[in-house]
Every structure is written in structure tokens, then in C-alpha cells.
């Protein structure tokens, strides 16, 4: 009985803290009656505290498009400064075959180069290309002084050894941040080119002034592209980091202890709202296309406008975190419009950085 009472007291204390934080926000959009009922509910030790959260809280949206625009303006300034020194950063993209999704991604990256005044080149080997042929193309790009960044769009055809191709890219031109040398620099916290998606997540956290030092952070996913570099970046920012994966025991309870949750598992709506500690910051890396009506109904039952759009279009993008987490988290990246825009943004940033390091300054002494 004592333990149950202490647990309830702690829940009420947390509710009071959240209420206080909520009341301090300017220009509240929640009706005064609802704010009053929330306060009455908490002070009365209401047994339905989770319901209070869902009714009364709404996470601050961490807008990746806004951050993208800020960084683009900064990159335009740096690009002009490099141009004054006779340097025009350049990105070479390699698109193998005719994968429709890959074509869209590469087209967006080339368009971003044009927007920022960067040079760009597109190489389109056929889907039948052999590993050795692709390796030769990479060697040629490595030797081209005007090319500062090399992007090999994934996935590659089955007959191509993707690992050999990625490791053939010169580390100084590896703007995707996938090369073992750049991963090693990240481990040792030395200047290098960092994988774009986790670097973008860090920009969102920093520019929205999310406290990182001393925070408990949970990263869901351990891929070389997102999970591992994300954990390292958070650790270097003095967060205490836990990496979770398919073998993690009692995953919901581990996530509930986190001040910051980064979800990168590739499963639509996998992280449930009751896994999120009220007031936590959620970075949702997932971009999952949902086409099944039953799944969409379940995920969007509290979002009628999005559900109507799904019914009209036949598909919807859902993150790795259940959309209802919006009513529990303190801050959250939306899907779409959150982490997604930051990946191309950081690709552009890495290209400009590579040009500066290669052609203007020494990367051994240059800062980030």
C-alpha cells in the first residue's frame, strides 16, 4: 500500500510540474475552462492523470523546415565568402538505375545545390553496372579537385558490393558521413563529416534550446547511419545515452525514463504514447508510408483531418512514434516536416564544410 501511495504521489507531483510549465507558456491556446479543469484534476489526485495529459497537453512542434531555412541562409553567406576566395563547393551525385524514390531524393539534392549556389554533377550508371565499373567512377570523382562531396545514392543494385563502393569514397569527400574513417573521428570526437540525419537531429535540439547536458537520452535503433552516430553525438553533448534495439528488455520502461527520445527503428507508430514520459522531447526519425486503411484508422483516430487526407490519397507518412504522443511529449518533431528536411540540409552543410577544409583550411585544425 505504501509503495502504491508513493507512486501516486510521484505521478501527481509530475503532473503539477507539467501544469506549472504549461501555465507559464505565453499565449495559451487552451480554453480557460480546460486549464482550470486540468489544475483541479491534478490537485484532486485524479486517478485518470494520463487522460489529463491527453486532454490538456500538446507538444511544442520542432519545425525542421524552419531550421532548414535558417541553415540555408547561413550557408548562402558562407558560399559567398568561399566564392570570394575562388572556391565554389561542388557535389557529385551517383544515381544507379531508375529507382523512382532514389530519383526523387537525388533531384531534391541537386535542387538544393542550385538554391545555395553550389556546383553539382549527376552521374547515372545503368542498373546493370558492375562493382568494378562503379569503383572506377568513384576513383575518378576522388581525383577531381572541383568535386568536394561525393554522394552515392542508396540502395544499390544487388550485384554491386555497396560496402566496397562506400569505403572507396575519399573520407574528405564523404559528405554522407558513412566512411569508417569519419565514423572513427566521430567516436574520438574529432572534426569530421558526420552522417546527415543524426547531425540534423542535433541541430534541431540545439536551435530549439533543448537541454542536453545531463539529460537522459534513449536512442531507439542501432544502425550505422542513424542510431550509432546519434548516440555518439548526444554523448559528446554530455547526455547520458541508452541505445535500444530489438533485444532490449522491458523497452517501454526504458523509454519512460528518458528526457529525450530519438526513434529510428523504421516501424510506423511503434513507440506508444504511454511509453513517453510527460514533457519529454521526442525526435522522430521515421518516415513510413502507410497504405493499409485499418492501420491508418488506428494510428490517426484522433487526427480526423489527416485521416480524411489519407482516405482521399490512399497513403500517409507516419513516424516511428505513434501520433498520439503529441498529447504527451513536451516537444516533438512532426512527420513530415521535422527531421526529414534536415537530412538534405546537413548534406549541403557537409559539402560546404568539405570545400572549406579541402581548399581553404586544414581539417586537422579547423573547427566544426
Amino acid at each position: 500500500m505504501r509503495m502504491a501511495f508513493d507512486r501516486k504521489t510521484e505521478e501527481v507531483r509530475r503532473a503539477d510540474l507539467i501544469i506549472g510549465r504549461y501555465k507559464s507558456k505565453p499565449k495559451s491556446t487552451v480554453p480557460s475552462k480546460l486549464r482550470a479543469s486540468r489544475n483541479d484534476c491534478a490537485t484532486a489526485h485524479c486517478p485518470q492523470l494520463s487522460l489529463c495529459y491527453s486532454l490538456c497537453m500538446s507538444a511544442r512542434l520542432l519545425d525542421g523546415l524552419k531550421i532548414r531555412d535558417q541553415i540555408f541562409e547561413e550557408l548562402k553567406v558562407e558560399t559567398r565568402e568561399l566564392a570570394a576566395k575562388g572556391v565554389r563547393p561542388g557535389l557529385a551525385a551517383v544515381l544507379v538505375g531508375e529507382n523512382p524514390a532514389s530519383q526523387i531524393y537525388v533531384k531534391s539534392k541537386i535542387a538544393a545545390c542550385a538554391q545555395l549556389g553550389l556546383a553539382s554533377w549527376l552521374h547515372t550508371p545503368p542498373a546493370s553496372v558492375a562493382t568494378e565499373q562503379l569503383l572506377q567512377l568513384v576513383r575518378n570523382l576522388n581525383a577531381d579537385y572541383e568535386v568536394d562531396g561525393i554522394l552515392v545514392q542508396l540502395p544499390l543494385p544487388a550485384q554491386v558490393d555497396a560496402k566496397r563502393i562506400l569505403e572507396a569514397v575519399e573520407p574528405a569527400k564523404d559528405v554522407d558521413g558513412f566512411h569508417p574513417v569519419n565514423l572513427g573521428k566521430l567516436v574520438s570526437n574529432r572534426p569530421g563529416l558526420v552522417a546527415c540525419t543524426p547531425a540534423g537531429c542535433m541541430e534541431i535540439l540545439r536551435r530549439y534550446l533543448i537541454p542536453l547536458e545531463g539529460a537522459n537520452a534513449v536512442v531507439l535503433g542501432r544502425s550505422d547511419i542513424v542510431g550509432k552516430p546519434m548516440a555518439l553525438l548526444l554523448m559528446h553533448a554530455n547526455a547520458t545515452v541508452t541505445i535500444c534495439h530489438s533485444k532490449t528488455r522491458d523497452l517501454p520502461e526504458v523509454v519512460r525514463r528518458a528526457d529525450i527520445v530519438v526513434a529510428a527503428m523504421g516501424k510506423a507508430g511503434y513507440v506508444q504514447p504511454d511509453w513517453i514520459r510527460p514533457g519529454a522531447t521526442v525526435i522522430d526519425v521515421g518516415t513510413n508510408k502507410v497504405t493499409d486503411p485499418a492501420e491508418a484508422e488506428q494510428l490517426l483516430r484522433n487526427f480526423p483531418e489527416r485521416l480524411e487526407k489519407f482516405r482521399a490519397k490512399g497513403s500517409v507518412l507516419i513516424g516511428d512514434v505513434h501520433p498520439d504522443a503529441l498529447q504527451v511529449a513536451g516537444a516533438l518533431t512532426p512527420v513530415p516536416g521535422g527531421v526529414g528536411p534536415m537530412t538534405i540540409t546537413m548534406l549541403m552543410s557537409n559539402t560546404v564544410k568539405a570545400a572549406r577544409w579541402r581548399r581553404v583550411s586544414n581539417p586537422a585544425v579547423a573547427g566544426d
Side-chain angles (χ1 to χ4, degrees), residues 178-234:
F178 295 162
H179 197 283
V181 168
N182 284 322
L183 286 172
K185 288 182 177 180
L186 178 58
V187 170
S188 59
N189 200 19
R190 295 171 57 193
L193 298 172
V194 178
C196 299
T197 299
C201 293
M202 291 300 292
E203 287 292 336
I204 290 175
L205 290 168
R206 287 170 178 153
R207 290 176 187 249
Y208 273 101
L209 304 180
I210 304 298
L212 298 176
E213 190 166 343
N216 289 321
V218 165
V219 178
L220 294 161
R222 52 180 169 178
S223 71
D224 293 341
I225 295 173
V226 179
K228 290 175 185 175
M230 187 75 228
L232 288 165
L233 288 167
L234 286 166

Side-chain angles (χ1 to χ4, degrees), residues 89-91 118 148-149 175 346-356:
L91 174 69
L118 277 58
D148 297 296
V175 287
M346 301 315 296
L347 177 69
M348 298 298 106
S349 178
N350 276 350
T351 302
V352 173
K353 183 184 294 185
R356 171 162 48 88

Side-chain angles (χ1 to χ4, degrees), residues 22-33:
Y22 180 85
K23 282 187 168 182
S24 67
K25 290 181 181 179
K27 298 181 180 178
S28 174
T29 59
V30 176
S32 59
K33 288 183 179 179

Side-chain angles (χ1 to χ4, degrees), residues 242-253:
T242 301
I243 302 178
C244 296
H245 45 77
S246 60
K247 305 300 181 183
T248 299
R249 295 177 182 175
D250 198 5
L251 181 60
E253 189 57 35

Side-chain angles (χ1 to χ4, degrees), residues 21-224:
R21 181 188 307 169
Y22 180 85
K23 282 187 168 182
S24 67
K25 290 181 181 179
K27 298 181 180 178
S28 174
T29 59
V30 176
S32 59
K33 288 183 179 179
L34 189 53
R35 292 200 300 272
S37 67
R38 176 182 184 173
N39 188 56
D40 294 342
C41 181
T43 56
H45 293 199
C46 172
Q48 300 294 332
L49 286 174
S50 61
L51 177 61
C52 291
Y53 296 142
S54 66
L55 289 175
C56 307
M57 289 190 67
S58 185
R60 177 171 57 139
L61 293 181
L62 306 179
D63 188 347
L65 294 168
K66 178 180 177 181
I67 302 300
R68 176 201 63 187
D69 292 344
Q70 291 177 0
I71 295 176
F72 269 27
E73 290 304 312
E74 295 165 7
L75 290 175
K76 287 177 183 178
V77 172
E78 186 168 3
T79 301
R80 288 195 293 268
E81 291 173 350
L82 288 171
K85 299 176 182 178
V87 174
R88 186 186 184 195
L91 174 69
V94 178
L95 174 61
V96 179
E98 298 181 355
N99 182 302
S102 295
Q103 289 176 330
I104 292 172
Y105 296 149
V106 170
K107 183 178 179 180
S108 298
K109 294 165 185 176
I110 297 297
C113 287
Q115 184 177 347
L116 295 173
L118 277 58
S120 63
W121 302 269
L122 177 59
H123 298 269
T124 56
S128 59
V129 69
T131 297
E132 288 301 325
Q133 292 173 306
L134 206 51
L135 283 172
Q136 187 56 54
L137 173 58
V138 171
R139 294 187 195 105
N140 293 341
L141 295 174
N142 284 339
D144 190 335
Y145 182 75
E146 299 296 321
V147 173
D148 297 296
I150 300 172
L151 161 71
V152 180
Q153 183 65 44
L154 301 177
L156 293 171
Q159 80 276 5
V160 175
D161 188 334
K163 185 169 289 188
R164 284 184 66 193
I165 300 300
L166 295 178
E167 292 182 359
V169 175
E170 183 182 327
K173 298 187 178 188
D174 169 40
V175 287
D176 266 331
F178 295 162
H179 197 283
V181 168
N182 284 322
L183 286 172
K185 288 182 177 180
L186 178 58
V187 170
S188 59
N189 200 19
R190 295 171 57 193
L193 298 172
V194 178
C196 299
T197 299
C201 293
M202 291 300 292
E203 287 292 336
I204 290 175
L205 290 168
R206 287 170 178 153
R207 290 176 187 249
Y208 273 101
L209 304 180
I210 304 298
L212 298 176
E213 190 166 343
N216 289 321
V218 165
V219 178
L220 294 161
R222 52 180 169 178
S223 71
D224 293 341

